[in-house]
Amino acid sequence: MLGSGAMTNTIRDIAEQADVIMLVGSNPEEAHPVIGMQLRAAVERGCRLIVVDPRDIGLARMADIHLKIRPGTNVAFANAMTNVLIKERLVDEGFVRNRTEGFEILAANVSEYTPEWAEDVCGIDRRDLIAAAKLFGQAQRASIVYCLGVTEHSTGTDGVMALSNIAMITGNLGKAGGGMNPLRGQNNVQGACDMGASPDDLPGYQKIWDDAARAKFEKAWGVSLSPKPGTKATECFPAMMDGRIRGLYLFGEDPVRTDPDTGHVIKALESLEFFVVEDLFMTETAKYADVILPGCSYAEKEGTFTNTERRVQRVRKAVDVVEGARPDTEIFTEVMNRMGYPQPLLTPAQIMDEIATLTPPYGGISHERLDSESVAGCGLQWPCPHAGHPGTPILHVGSFSRGVGSFSVPEYRPSAERPDWDYPFILMTGRVLYHYNAQAMTGRTPGLDEISSRSFIELNTSDALRLGIEDGGLVRVTSRRGSIETIARVSGKTNPGQVWMPFHFQDGNSNWLTNAALDSISKAPEYKVCAVSVTPVWRPE
């Protein structure tokens, strides 16, 4: 739609200049606590806040409006909000006329997504939806901030596009305090994507099927490259089971703990002929490996991370490498040489120089420049095409990366799995403040484990009373894929018929239950909606 899939603005300008922030499917105070603190400070300075989330998260208590939507209805909500913006004449007509295309098609598409319809589908009061649309549409600078609660659905891509319609129709792109701003799930997700980790991309989002882009890399690397896109990570597991993938090299990932439908993941890994894991610790996934290679932590190596706002920052070695472990680049280089591809061992600075040569958005970035007095400590935001360029804090100023912005017309589709008589609850999953993903590091931190060390499930008070479940009691949670036992936390944080679990803890890992239904474009799993039953096992004394 815009020509770039990255965060359009800086965290600072959102926190300091936005008049309204709409936070959708994100709980930053726990999942991104530094940003969460900055958003809280924004509200305290007078910024208005709209929270769109099925749970009573901490920031919802500070919000002007909390739309506690039914899980899986992001597209319905966003289309209905667009409907209201058009009906209430809150469209930035000059921006739409001069910088976008396809508005008439969008308007026709959302005409049926009325507030009355959304009230029924999303489970929210139509008056709150209208009030949220007016608050956002009347603001001079309104920012959309979203996270995995939008993307981790079988319709996640549609959800992002529907929110982008809202940003474009109100002219909130290309200016401070506005934008479409995804909070990346981990600290270098943006950098990994920038470097070509997606199977249809070369570094810098240069497409593998583009003959000119491919020729450039073929010349630099001295090899011929296939124009055929590869396989996305979540599609690898069924490919392992049917024999299309027979060997796997996995590093820095623990899918037995973090991917949906754990039983299916284990069967896939057991189907491999050869499996290599490179990691810091013996993970649950590494137990299935034929070979384990000891990698290094961030504190044991040099390089860069690119954060959620496209900011490239230096990472410097702080401690010596543990005996036997080696940096990833050294391991990869040795594997390449042993497999017949002659590759010299480059320093991290030399690797960054190659990136700058081949990747236009990084063309002006080097370790030398990142270490200079003028840049050190704050990094550089891409696109930074040449050495004299200051970096780009805000994308799409004046024009979009693709020229004009293109409205999308995503239709609402229900989640892949919905509640029924046998599995009457909608299960959502997420993070807690004290732990991170598979607990590879936080789970080995005694102080954090003293605060939070056990699996639990949040259950609405009325559901608990009906089922005879008490706060602190043990319950069994079952889906079509598996069953676990966990501790009940009874409150009003979730609506009746909805439950929530963290995925960090092995004593009751929610991913034995979650559904591996995938978004048709991104192939992201639907972690945020699956159908479960909850039954009591014992009550606390």
Side-chain angles (χ1 to χ4, degrees):
M1 294 175 64
L2 312 180
S4 173
M7 189 171 180
T8 62
N9 288 58
T10 69
I11 298 162
R12 181 173 182 175
D13 82 60
I14 295 166
E16 295 182 358
Q17 298 193 51
D19 300 314
V20 172
I21 296 171
M22 185 161 70
L23 185 66
V24 188
S26 176
N27 184 10
E29 287 191 308
E30 299 204 50
H32 300 83
V34 175
I35 296 174
M37 176 183 67
Q38 292 170 296
L39 296 182
R40 179 176 284 269
V43 176
E44 290 171 349
R45 69 159 169 83
C47 179
R48 311 291 293 276
L49 178 64
I50 302 165
V51 169
V52 185
D53 199 286
R55 295 172 68 227
D56 286 335
I57 61 172
L59 282 169
R61 291 192 292 272
M62 301 183 71
D64 295 88
I65 300 169
H66 178 197
L67 298 175
K68 203 171 180 181
I69 66 171
R70 185 172 289 118
T73 62
N74 293 323
V75 175
F77 146 73
N79 282 352
M81 188 166 181
T82 302
N83 172 294
V84 176
L85 289 167
I86 294 172
K87 184 178 180 180
E88 297 291 333
R89 300 183 182 276
L90 295 172
V91 175
D92 186 330
E93 294 181 359
F95 187 94
V96 169
R97 180 175 57 255
N98 297 324
R99 294 195 52 186
T100 71
E101 60 184 7
F103 174 74
E104 292 77 12
I105 298 173
L106 170 71
N109 183 71
V110 301
S111 61
E112 297 180 1
Y113 289 83
T114 64
E116 293 76 16
W117 177 88
E119 182 174 69
D120 180 57
V121 172
C122 301
I124 55 176
D125 191 313
R126 71 188 77 176
R127 294 168 295 183
D128 291 337
L129 173 67
I130 294 170
K134 288 182 177 179
L135 181 61
F136 190 92
Q138 291 168 355
Q140 291 296 312
R141 301 173 184 268
S143 177
I144 297 173
V145 178
Y146 68 95
C147 194
L148 303 178
V150 172
T151 58
E152 288 183 343
H153 291 274
S154 57
T155 57
T157 302
D158 286 346
V160 174
M161 292 194 295
L163 290 175
S164 295
N165 287 335
I166 294 172
M168 274 206 294
I169 202 175
T170 55
N172 277 297
L173 289 164
K175 65 182 182 183
M180 275 289 290
N181 300 292
L183 303 182
R184 297 307 191 194
Q186 299 183 55
N187 68 322
N188 198 32
V189 165
Q190 187 65 57
C193 293
D194 296 347
M195 293 302 105
S198 299
D200 53 355
D201 285 340
L202 291 159
Y205 307 96
Q206 298 168 88
K207 296 303 177 183
I208 192 71
W209 56 78
D210 183 293
D211 293 341
R214 202 168 60 254
K216 179 174 65 173
F217 284 92
E218 288 176 336
K219 181 179 179 181
W221 294 342
V223 295
S224 60
L225 299 172
S226 169
K228 182 180 179 182
T231 304
K232 293 186 177 178
T234 47
E235 295 179 301
C236 287
F237 297 106
M240 295 174 207
M241 296 184 72
D242 64 22
R244 286 177 290 135
I245 291 178
R246 293 180 287 177
L248 180 68
Y249 189 128
L250 185 78
F251 66 102
E253 194 85 12
D254 191 4
V256 170
R257 291 187 73 160
T258 62
D259 277 42
D261 192 358
T262 302
H264 180 260
V265 171
I266 291 172
K267 288 179 183 178
L269 296 177
E270 290 177 334
S271 300
L272 292 166
E273 294 178 14
F274 186 57
F275 181 28
V276 182
V277 167
E278 179 186 329
D279 218 313
L280 307 182
F281 304 104
M282 174 59 78
T283 64
E284 292 298 312
T285 302
K287 294 175 183 178
Y288 297 89
D290 299 293
V291 174
I292 301 172
L293 301 174
C296 291
S297 72
Y298 70 95
E300 297 168 316
K301 57 192 175 187
E302 296 280 326
T304 64
F305 286 159
T306 305
N307 78 354
T308 192
E309 58 178 10
R310 301 171 282 106
R311 190 179 300 278
V312 184
Q313 297 170 292
R314 281 280 275 122
V315 177
R316 297 174 180 84
K317 181 178 177 180
V319 296
D320 290 332
V321 177
V322 175
E323 185 177 356
R326 297 170 68 178
D328 303 319
T329 49
E330 288 188 18
I331 295 173
F332 297 159
T333 298
E334 186 161 336
V335 169
M336 282 190 275
N337 281 311
R338 292 191 183 200
M339 293 181 71
Y341 177 75
Q343 170 64 50
L345 180 61
L346 303 177
T347 66
Q350 289 172 320
I351 292 171
M352 179 57 79
D353 289 341
E354 181 185 296
I355 291 168
T357 301
L358 296 170
T359 312
Y362 281 70
I365 300 176
S366 65
H367 279 204
E368 181 181 9
R369 190 176 179 200
L370 291 171
D371 290 338
S372 67
E373 287 187 15
S374 61
V375 173
C378 59
L380 289 164
Q381 288 177 275
W382 66 256
C384 181
H386 55 80
H389 196 281
T392 307
I394 302 174
L395 294 180
H396 314 306
V397 176
S399 65
F400 289 103
S401 300
R402 70 182 297 276
V404 295
S406 176
F407 287 106
S408 67
V409 286
E411 296 287 350
Y412 166 67
R413 290 178 287 118
S415 299
E417 185 173 81
R418 285 172 283 179
D420 59 17
W421 180 264
D422 295 319
Y423 303 98
F425 290 95
I426 297 175
L427 170 67
M428 305 168 279
T429 67
R431 294 176 180 162
V432 299
L433 173 63
Y434 309 102
H435 289 287
Y436 196 69
N437 284 16
Q439 290 187 290
M441 290 180 280
T442 57
R444 291 172 168 82
T445 307
L448 296 178
D449 274 339
E450 289 177 14
I451 300 171
S452 177
S453 61
R454 294 195 65 182
S455 169
F456 63 89
I457 185 168
E458 292 178 355
L459 189 72
N460 185 271
T461 304
S462 62
D463 292 324
L465 182 64
R466 176 172 53 83
L467 295 171
I469 295 170
E470 294 186 12
D471 187 58
L474 186 70
V475 296
R476 177 172 295 279
V477 188
T478 304
S479 76
R480 293 177 176 87
R481 290 156 294 281
S483 185
I484 60 163
E485 291 186 352
T486 190
I487 300 299
R489 291 191 180 178
V490 178
S491 71
K493 290 186 76 172
T494 60
N495 280 330
Q498 300 167 19
V499 294
W500 183 91
M501 288 188 71
F503 60 83
H504 310 292
F505 305 103
Q506 273 301 96
D507 65 319
N509 190 335
S510 60
N511 280 323
W512 284 97
L513 311 172
T514 48
N515 189 8
L518 304 180
D519 180 278
S520 61
I521 298 173
S522 71
K523 305 302 179 184
E526 191 154 54
Y527 288 107
K528 303 305 183 187
V529 177
C530 80
V532 299
S533 64
V534 183
T535 54
V537 176
W538 56 258
R539 297 184 177 187
E541 295 295 331

